Amino acid sequence: MGIMLKKPENVPGSAAPAIIIGLFVAFGGILFGYDTGTIGGILAMPYWRNTFSTGYINLKDNKPDVSPSQSSEIVSLLSAGTFFGALGAAPMADLLGRRLGMIASTGVFTAGVIMQTAATAIPLFVAGRFFAGFGVGLISAIIPLYQSETAPKWIRGAVVGCYQLAITIGLLIAAIVDNATKDRNDTGSYRIPIAVQFAWAIIMVVGMLILPETPRYFIKVGKHENAAKALSRLRRLDVDHPALIEELAEIQANHEYELSLGKSTYIECFKGTIGKRLATGCLLQSLQQLTGVNFIFYYGTSFFSNSGINNSFIVTVITNVVNVCSTFPGLYLVEKWGRRPLLLFGAIGMFVCQYIVASVNTALPDSQVANKVLIAFVCFYIYFFASSWGPVAWVVTGELFPLKSRAKCLSMTTASNWLLNWAIAYSTPYMVNGGKGNANLQGKVFFVWGGFCLICAFFVWGLIYETKGLSLEQVDELYGKCSKAWKSKGFRPTLSFAEVQEVRGSVSGRHASLADIEADVGRKRSVAQIERGGMVGGEKAAYEV
């Protein structure tokens, strides 16, 4: 096996169009990352604090500020909006399509940005945060859906993982812009960072007007001719090319097979193997948040400042640079190493870093040594997260579900991510800060995140299936035939759903399991091979005579 990611030699056509399209769509992650990353710096800006303060005085510097409860409200309302937005992504993506759904989502996001830019008091600011969050929630569920349905299977993990890379780039740009405007003594200090988001929205909408709809969406709505044209554009093959016809037939047969097992309803999402996959996806996205990464990016600037670190804005920029750079190894390893090993590696590495930070800060509070350890191991922790759980959580959830319920299930897994995101954003000031009613954990909060990282490792071992190199349709076969996640690495697909549909067309096959159907398909193949052998033998005998 070489070290490069190369298109398999037996795959016709070109993967370049699908990869380029998938990488552009990942740009939507910049909206997500920038919007979530900019708020931490804004909350620490002197002019913003003075403008939006309702009389609270921060005891750390005896200057006007928003109270911990107001800070929680401002930060967490974006996450509340994203939760409802993610749930709304399924009907939007199924009704309008994946492409038009992303355009409409960007419109909602833009409305929220307008409110935040215009605000000079908390009520309008938090309203803008909610609507911007609603748009981000819609986008965050539809983008991995679009990428998964268009990317070639041999590089799908890297393409979908680029969504997380775009999120990290958005976070980095937010930190740089915040640092550039923080000392302004006018509304530009916070309005400039917020208004920059108009540029991201314009780029996203213009691009999506040009890009194609996904062929799997067209199959879902019964537009086979449109699906062929879309797949032809993605694979750079003629619509009558045998490989393209075969791929479309397999997508169609798999969709018909899944529909034969049950209708495309929310209730069906909780039944059978789909229910198992939904539970896996929701837990994966929830645990991604419980690793504590957004504690760093939401409250990092304030936390580093309160820990005695002089230039907390610069430290935040550094952690964001580490976040971006560390995502690149993950995009490579997700295809070379696989989903399970990379998630296990990340969980164990994060656990070790979190406990070192927590232990040193507990043993040496208010120490320069502790501050240096804090910065160093937070950077190591971000490396482990960004190269594993950051991108791979989106990759795995994008692959888990059959076409009939993919939008619904993916919206629920994404909503799980945002629900925990909201809970952490809301509770963190109470957990970390001192004062009446607060836990005053300070650096000890890393014990909490580290404990969840250990849980992550056991979760991966027991519930994450290895899906590297499988088509979305072959993932259905994996879950139908492999009952244990730790046995999934040795799985090799042996069925085509076109054959499955032929067997299920018989009376005996209508309620058979995939294992039973595979046995029937094997018998048919054997008979066909024997018949071909008999024909060849007969022709040879006739020739000899």
Side-chain angles (χ1 to χ4, degrees):
M1 181 187 292
I3 63 171
M4 299 298 292
L5 298 177
K6 294 181 180 179
K7 182 169 78 76
E9 294 180 1
N10 62 342
V11 177
S14 173
I19 293 172
I20 292 169
I21 287 169
L23 293 179
F24 176 81
V25 171
F27 182 84
I30 289 183
L31 275 73
F32 175 169
Y34 187 92
D35 197 51
T36 55
T38 196
I39 191 61
I42 288 174
L43 288 176
M45 290 178 181
Y47 186 87
W48 186 92
R49 288 171 53 180
N50 188 63
T51 301
F52 285 82
S53 176
T54 56
Y56 177 81
I57 300 298
N58 190 323
L59 298 179
K60 292 284 183 179
D61 56 14
N62 294 315
K63 292 181 181 179
D65 203 349
V66 292
S67 67
S69 62
Q70 290 170 329
S71 175
S72 292
E73 178 186 17
I74 291 166
V75 175
S76 64
L77 262 175
L78 177 97
S79 303
T82 52
F83 171 75
F84 292 107
L87 290 178
M92 180 176 283
D94 282 342
L95 181 64
L96 299 179
R98 286 40 165 160
R99 186 177 70 95
L100 290 179
M102 280 190 279
I103 293 173
S105 304
T106 307
V108 176
F109 169 78
T110 303
V113 172
I114 291 171
M115 292 182 193
Q116 290 178 79
T117 306
T120 55
I122 289 176
L124 183 59
F125 195 82
V126 296
R129 292 280 295 167
F130 179 84
F131 281 102
F134 195 88
V136 169
L138 291 167
I139 292 167
S140 65
I142 299 176
I143 286 176
L145 175 62
Y146 184 99
Q147 290 175 307
S148 296
E149 290 188 347
T150 55
K153 66 181 182 180
W154 61 273
I155 199 170
R156 184 179 60 242
V159 171
V160 178
C162 283
Y163 175 53
Q164 176 67 21
L165 175 62
I167 294 172
T168 66
I169 292 172
L171 288 164
L172 174 59
I173 295 172
I176 292 171
V177 174
D178 281 350
N179 190 54
T181 66
K182 69 180 189 298
D183 294 324
R184 289 177 65 107
N185 195 32
D186 56 27
T187 58
S189 61
Y190 68 91
R191 281 179 170 161
I192 291 172
I194 293 170
V196 165
Q197 295 173 103
F198 289 120
W200 316 142
I202 291 169
I203 293 170
M204 189 72 184
V205 169
V206 171
M208 291 313 302
L209 289 172
I210 300 170
L211 299 186
E213 182 55 85
T214 75
R216 285 178 170 87
Y217 172 74
F218 282 132
I219 290 290
K220 179 179 173 63
V221 297
K223 296 181 178 180
H224 194 276
E225 185 176 336
N226 290 350
K229 290 178 181 177
L231 191 60
S232 171
R233 187 174 171 185
L234 291 169
R235 300 291 184 263
R236 203 173 284 174
L237 293 169
D238 293 334
V239 291
D240 56 356
H241 191 283
L244 189 142
I245 293 171
E246 182 182 352
E247 184 174 354
L248 273 181
E250 183 68 1
I251 295 170
Q252 179 74 47
N254 172 257
H255 183 51
E256 291 173 354
Y257 168 75
E258 289 294 339
L259 286 176
S260 71
L261 299 179
K263 295 181 180 179
S264 177
T265 63
Y266 275 100
I267 292 176
E268 288 295 322
C269 293
F270 295 91
K271 295 180 179 179
T273 64
I274 300 178
K276 177 181 179 180
R277 289 184 253 183
L278 179 60
T280 300
C282 288
L283 286 170
L284 178 63
Q285 290 283 18
S286 299
L287 286 169
Q288 188 207 50
Q289 289 300 309
L290 289 169
T291 60
V293 67
N294 277 324
F295 165 72
I296 301 298
F297 294 115
Y298 280 159
Y299 295 105
T301 306
S302 301
F303 179 75
F304 292 138
S305 178
N306 292 337
S307 297
I309 295 170
N310 294 329
N311 200 330
S312 57
F313 274 92
I314 294 299
V315 174
T316 302
V317 172
I318 291 170
T319 58
N320 278 283
V321 169
V322 173
N323 195 23
V324 172
C325 295
S326 301
T327 305
F328 286 98
L331 301 182
Y332 174 78
L333 292 171
V334 71
E335 296 296 353
K336 281 296 181 181
W337 201 359
R339 282 58 161 160
R340 273 175 63 86
L342 190 53
L343 286 171
L344 276 171
F345 164 78
I348 294 169
M350 288 189 293
F351 164 74
V352 172
C353 291
Q354 300 271 27
Y355 265 69
I356 289 174
V357 170
S359 300
V360 172
N361 273 268
T362 301
L364 302 170
D366 303 318
S367 162
Q368 286 299 314
V369 173
N371 287 340
K372 290 177 181 178
V373 170
L374 171 65
I375 295 171
F377 278 90
V378 161
C379 288
F380 282 124
Y381 156 74
I382 290 171
Y383 164 77
F384 283 110
F385 175 86
S387 63
S388 59
W389 279 76
V392 180
W394 298 106
V395 172
V396 171
T397 52
E399 297 171 335
L400 281 176
F401 308 108
L403 178 57
K404 70 172 184 179
S405 58
R406 186 170 295 137
K408 293 182 179 67
C409 291
L410 196 52
S411 77
M412 285 187 277
T413 61
T414 307
S416 301
N417 180 296
W418 286 116
L419 180 63
L420 268 295
N421 188 303
W422 167 81
I424 291 167
Y426 185 80
S427 62
T428 291
Y430 300 106
M431 293 170 64
V432 174
N433 294 337
K436 186 178 180 181
N438 296 332
N440 194 27
L441 291 178
Q442 299 297 331
K444 297 184 186 70
V445 74
F446 287 96
F447 281 124
V448 177
W449 311 137
F452 280 113
C453 291
L454 186 60
I455 293 172
C456 286
F458 288 103
F459 164 77
V460 172
W461 183 83
L463 284 173
I464 296 296
Y465 282 66
E466 183 54 70
T467 52
K468 183 187 76 169
L470 301 180
S471 71
L472 298 181
E473 289 67 42
Q474 289 167 343
V475 173
D476 283 342
E477 182 184 349
L478 167 66
Y479 273 88
K481 292 163 61 176
C482 185
S483 60
K484 301 290 190 297
W486 54 89
K487 296 180 179 178
S488 61
K489 186 177 180 180
F491 171 81
R492 297 292 180 272
T494 56
L495 285 173
S496 82
F497 278 91
E499 293 174 316
V500 169
Q501 285 301 90
E502 287 181 17
V503 172
R504 284 181 63 86
S506 66
V507 175
S508 62
R510 284 175 188 167
H511 301 290
S513 67
L514 269 183
D516 295 332
I517 292 172
E518 183 179 24
D520 280 353
V521 169
R523 284 192 290 270
K524 283 191 173 185
R525 287 174 180 169
S526 298
V527 170
Q529 189 173 2
I530 291 170
E531 288 176 350
R532 283 198 300 272
M535 289 177 65
V536 171
E539 288 172 359
K540 182 177 180 181
Y543 176 78
E544 288 174 348
V545 170

